[in-house]
C-alpha cells in the first residue's frame, strides 16, 4: 500500500529515510529548515558522501515520488504520517543531548495537525523523550488526542545507509502502551515490503524502544574499547591484538565484528550517544549503572594520545617534523569528520609543532572547514612528500592498497604507523620500512 509520508530533517538519517521510503513506493516529502540542503536535494544531489544514495534520490525524484520543502504547512497538509529525523548533538560543555531540534519540530508541526496523525521519532533521544513529545503534541494540536507519537529508532551505519534502511537487521517500534492507537498498523503498512522479507519486527513500549538504541550504540562502543584496552596490554607484553581478535572472534558468542583495534571510535553517533546515555541515567538516579561507559570513553580517547606518542617517538621530536596523515574521515566510505579520531590526531600533532599534510579521498572539504590550519594535499603521494613518518588514520581501500614502492621515492624516512591495523606489516618490513601498528609487536 502506498502511504503519504513527511520526513523532518534531511541529514544522514532524514535524507536517507526519505529517499528509501520513496524507493519502497511511498509518496514522500522531505522537510528541512536549511535552504541550501533543500536546493541540493531538489537538484538530485546528496549534501554528504553516501555510496548509492544519490541514485535512489534521483530515481525517486524523477518518478515523482519524492519532493522537498521548507514549509511545515505543506507537510501537515500533505501527510498524516510523519517521521522525525533531526539531529541530537551533544550539548556544549555537558554530556547531555541537545534536544532543541527535536523539540522545535514538534513545536512547529503540532499546531498544524488538524487530522488524526502518527509521528514516528527516529532520532536518538534520551529515554522519556517520546512520552514527553506525545503529551506536548496533543496539547498543541487542533486534532488533540488523535495525535500519536511512536518511536522507531534507526540503526543505519554511514557508508551503508541505503542497505541498512531497506534491509535492516531488525525494525523496532515503541508505542504508547497507555494510549493504544494506530502506530503499529501504520508502521506495518509503511514497512510492508521489509516485513514480507522476514525482517524481525520488535514492538514494545516507548521507553524500551528508546533504550534499545542507546544500548546498541553503548554496546558497540564498549566492544571497540574492550579490544583497544586489550591492545594496550598487547603493547605492554609484545602480543598481537589483531591475531588475538581473530582468535576470540571465532567464538560465536563474541563475534569478530567491531573488534578492530586502532585509534578508536568517532563520528556523530557513538561518542555523543554514550555520553548522553550516562547523563540520562544520572538524571534517573541510575548513574552507577553506566559508570563503565566513562572508562569506555577514556580508553577510546587514550588511543588518540597513544597515536600522537608513536608519531613523536618515530620523529624524535615533533618540532619541525614533517608528518603525512592519510585519512581524515571518522571511518572509510564517509566524508564525515565529526569527532574524527584521524583529524583529532592530525590536529594534536600540528599543535605540537609538526608540519602536517593531510589527504582523504572524500573528506577534504569538511576537514578544511573544521580544521583550516592543517595543510591539505591533492593525493596520498603529495601528503607523503618529504615525510618523516606516514600515519594511516582511516582505512580507505586506497590506503590499504598502497605499496612501499609507491611511497619510497617521495618520503624522507621509511616509517609508517598504521592507526587502523589495516596494512600487512611484512610487506612494509620486507621493503626496509619501519612499520608500527597499534597493539602489535
Ligand atoms: C553507528 C552504529 O554502528 C549504527 O548502528 C548507528 O545507527 C549509528 O552509529 C547511529 O547511531 O546513527 P556509524 O557512526 O556510522 O554507526 O559508524 P560505525 O560503523 O559504528 O563506526 C564508528 C566508529 O568506530 C568509527 O570511527 C570506526 O572507525 C570505529 N570502529 C569501528 C573501530 O575503531 N573499530 C571497529 O572494529 C569498528
Amino acid at each position: 500500500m502506498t502511504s503519504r509520508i513527511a520526513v523532518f530533517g534531511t541529514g544522514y538519517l532524514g535524507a536517507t529515510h526519505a529517499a528509501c521510503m520513496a524507493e519502497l513506493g511511498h509518496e514522500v516529502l522531505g522537510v528541512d529548515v536549511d535552504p541550501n540542503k533543500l536546493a541540493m536535494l531538489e537538484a538530485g544531489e546528496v549534501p554528504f558522501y553516501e555510496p548509492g544514495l544519490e541514485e535512489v534520490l534521483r530515481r525517486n525524484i524523477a518518478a515523482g515520488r519524492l519532493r522537498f520543502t521548507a514549509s511545515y504547512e505543506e507537510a501537515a497538509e500533505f501527510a498524516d504520517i510523519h517521521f522525525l529525523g533531526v539531529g541530537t548533538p551533544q550539548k556544549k560543555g555537558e554530556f547531555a543531548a541537545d534536544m532543541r531540534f527535536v523539540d522545535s519540530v514538534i513545536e512547529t508541526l503540532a499546531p498544524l495537525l488538524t487530522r488524526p496523525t502518527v509521528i514516528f521519532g527516529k532520532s536518538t533521544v534520551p529515554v522519556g523523550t517520546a512520552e514527553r513529545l506525545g503529551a506536548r503534541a496533543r496539547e498543541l494540536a487542533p486534532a488533540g488526542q488523535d495525535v500519536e507519537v511512536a518511536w522507531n529508532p534507526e540503526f543505519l551505519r554511514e557508508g551503508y545507509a541505503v542497505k541498512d534502511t531497506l534491509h535492516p537487521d531488525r525494525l523496532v517500534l515503541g508505542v504508547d502502551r497507555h494510549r493504544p492507537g494506530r502506530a503499529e498498523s501504520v508502521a506495518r503498512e509503511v514497512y510492508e515490503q521489509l516485513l514480507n522479507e522476514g525482517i524481525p519486527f520488535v514492538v514494545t513500549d516507548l521507553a524500551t524502544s528508546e533504550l534499545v538504541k542507546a544500548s546498541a550504540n553503548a554496546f558497540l562502543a564498549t566492544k571497540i574499547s574492550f579490544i583497544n584496552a586489550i591492545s594496550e596490554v598487547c603493547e605492554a607484553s609484545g602480543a598481537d591484538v589483531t591475531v588475538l581478535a581473530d582468535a576470540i572472534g571465532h567464538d560465536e558468542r563474541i563475534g569478530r565484528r567491531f573488534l578492530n583495534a586502532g585509534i578508536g571510535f568517532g563520528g556523530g553517533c557513538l561518542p555523543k550517544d554514550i555520553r548522553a546515555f550516562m547523563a540520562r541515567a544520572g538524571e534517573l538516579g541510575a548513574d552507577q549503572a553506566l559508570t563503565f561507559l566513562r572508562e569506555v570513553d577514556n580508553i577510546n580517547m587514550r588511543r588518540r594520545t597513544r597515536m600522537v606518542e608513536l608519531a613523536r617517538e618515530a620523529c624524535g621530536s615533533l618540532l619541525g617534523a614533517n608528518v603525512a596523515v592519510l585519512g581524515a574521515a571518522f571511518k572509510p566510505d564517509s566524508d564525515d569528520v565529526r569527532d574524527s579520531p584521524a583529524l583529532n590526531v592530525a590536529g594534536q600533532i600540528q599543535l605540537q609543532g609538526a608540519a602536517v599534510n593531510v589527504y582523504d579521498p572524500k573528506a577534504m572539504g569538511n576537514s578544511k572547514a573544521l580544521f583550516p590550519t592543517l595543510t591539505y594535499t591533492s593525493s596520498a603521494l603529495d601528503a607523503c612528500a618529504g615525510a618523516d613518518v606516514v600515519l594511516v588514520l582511516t582505512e580507505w581501500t586506497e590506503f590499504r592498497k598502497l605499496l612501499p614502492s609507491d611511497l619510497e621515492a617521495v618520503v624522507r624516512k621509511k616509517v609508517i604507523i598504521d592507526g587502523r591495523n589495516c596494512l600487512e606489516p611484512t610487506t612494509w618490513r620486507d621493503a626496509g620500512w619501519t612499520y608500527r601498528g597499534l597493539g602489535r609487536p
Side-chain angles (χ1 to χ4, degrees):
M1 197 185 127
T2 301
S3 305
R4 281 183 161 201
I5 294 173
V7 179
F8 294 82
T10 59
Y12 280 99
L13 171 56
T16 307
H17 193 68
C20 289
M21 290 307 101
E23 183 77 0
L24 291 177
H26 302 303
E27 287 177 48
V28 182
L29 189 58
V31 189
D32 206 299
V33 292
D34 181 343
N36 298 325
K37 269 194 205 161
L38 291 173
M40 285 187 78
L41 288 162
E42 275 165 355
E45 285 167 40
V46 178
F48 45 87
Y49 177 71
E50 180 59 46
L53 182 55
E54 199 151 276
E55 288 87 304
V56 179
L57 178 77
R58 290 189 174 174
R59 184 161 55 237
N60 286 286
I61 292 175
R65 281 190 299 263
L66 178 58
R67 291 182 300 118
F68 295 91
T69 184
S71 164
Y72 274 61
E73 288 77 8
E74 190 184 348
E77 184 52 44
F78 175 76
D80 299 321
I81 304 171
H82 298 289
F83 282 92
L84 197 159
V86 291
T88 51
Q90 186 176 340
K91 272 190 193 164
K92 290 228 159 31
E94 344 179 358
F95 272 15
D98 184 345
M99 298 304 293
R100 82 176 85 162
F101 304 112
V102 171
D103 289 341
S104 136
V105 173
I106 295 297
E107 295 294 320
T108 319
L109 175 66
L112 304 170
L113 301 175
T114 53
R115 305 183 302 260
T117 305
V118 183
I119 302 173
F120 293 100
K122 294 201 76 68
S123 311
T124 302
V125 293
V127 57
T129 300
E131 192 179 339
R132 175 174 70 77
L133 296 179
R136 181 67 180 149
R138 282 186 290 278
E139 189 180 310
L140 292 172
Q145 302 304 309
D146 288 334
V147 175
E148 271 178 65
V149 170
W151 220 257
N152 173 216
E154 180 56 59
F155 305 100
L156 69 80
R157 298 159 296 168
E158 291 180 20
Y160 300 89
V162 173
K163 179 186 163 287
D164 285 352
T165 305
L166 292 176
H167 309 280
D169 295 333
R170 76 294 207 187
L171 287 163
V172 174
L173 180 70
V175 296
D176 194 338
R177 296 291 196 207
H178 306 299
R179 317 173 42 84
R182 297 183 304 127
E184 181 179 345
S185 64
V186 171
R188 285 188 183 278
E189 280 167 21
V190 170
Y191 293 127
E192 189 184 0
Q193 276 189 45
L194 279 61
L195 296 174
N196 287 344
E197 267 182 40
I199 288 165
F201 186 36
V202 180
V203 181
T204 179
D205 57 275
L206 292 173
T208 305
S209 68
E210 294 165 317
L211 280 177
V212 165
K213 172 65 191 190
S215 312
N217 276 1
F219 190 88
L220 294 172
T222 304
K223 205 171 174 190
I224 299 168
S225 278
F226 172 82
I227 201 66
N228 280 333
I230 299 298
S231 141
E232 290 184 15
V233 183
C234 286
E235 274 163 28
S237 58
D240 187 333
V241 74
T242 63
V243 178
L244 181 149
D246 289 344
I248 63 172
H250 283 301
D251 184 331
E252 274 177 22
R253 293 169 305 172
I254 296 173
R256 178 63 181 81
R257 294 171 74 191
F258 270 66
L259 280 185
N260 294 324
I263 56 172
F265 60 81
C269 300
L270 299 191
K272 64 111 177 149
D273 286 353
I274 59 170
R275 292 170 198 155
F277 199 12
M278 283 185 267
R280 185 62 184 138
E283 288 169 5
L284 294 168
D287 40 351
Q288 267 198 343
L290 298 188
T291 45
F292 76 96
L293 288 178
R294 261 283 186 184
E295 199 47 37
V296 165
D297 206 353
N298 287 337
I299 293 165
N300 191 53
M301 298 312 275
R302 236 175 16 236
R303 292 285 78 191
R304 303 179 184 187
T305 318
R306 175 71 181 143
M307 188 69 202
V308 177
E309 272 167 23
L310 284 176
R312 185 184 303 108
E313 277 172 27
C315 297
S317 159
L318 286 175
L319 274 177
N322 211 1
V323 178
V325 166
L326 302 184
F330 85 108
K331 68 173 190 182
D333 295 316
S334 168
D335 65 357
D336 197 345
V337 295
R338 286 176 294 170
D339 201 359
S340 166
L343 214 50
N344 180 297
V345 166
Q348 287 193 51
I349 291 177
Q350 191 207 32
L351 291 171
Q352 295 186 29
V356 180
N357 298 307
V358 183
Y359 174 70
D360 187 282
K362 294 287 175 199
M364 301 297 270
N366 288 340
S367 303
K368 280 179 200 165
L370 193 70
F371 240 117
T373 52
L374 297 168
T375 304
Y376 295 94
T377 66
S378 54
S379 70
L381 223 58
D382 284 348
C384 295
D388 294 303
V389 61
V390 176
L391 312 182
V392 179
L393 301 185
T394 312
E395 67 276 36
W396 285 95
T397 308
E398 177 185 338
F399 304 149
R400 287 172 177 275
K401 283 189 185 159
L402 279 176
L403 292 172
S405 56
D406 297 331
L407 301 183
E408 254 152 39
V410 298
V411 298
R412 187 145 68 193
K413 288 194 199 135
K414 295 203 280 184
V415 184
I416 192 158
I417 309 179
D418 184 359
R420 292 294 183 180
N421 291 328
C422 62
L423 304 172
E424 191 46 63
T426 49
T427 309
W428 293 83
R429 288 190 178 129
D430 290 352
W433 284 66
T434 301
Y435 169 94
R436 295 199 67 176
L438 289 180
R440 303 175 102 173

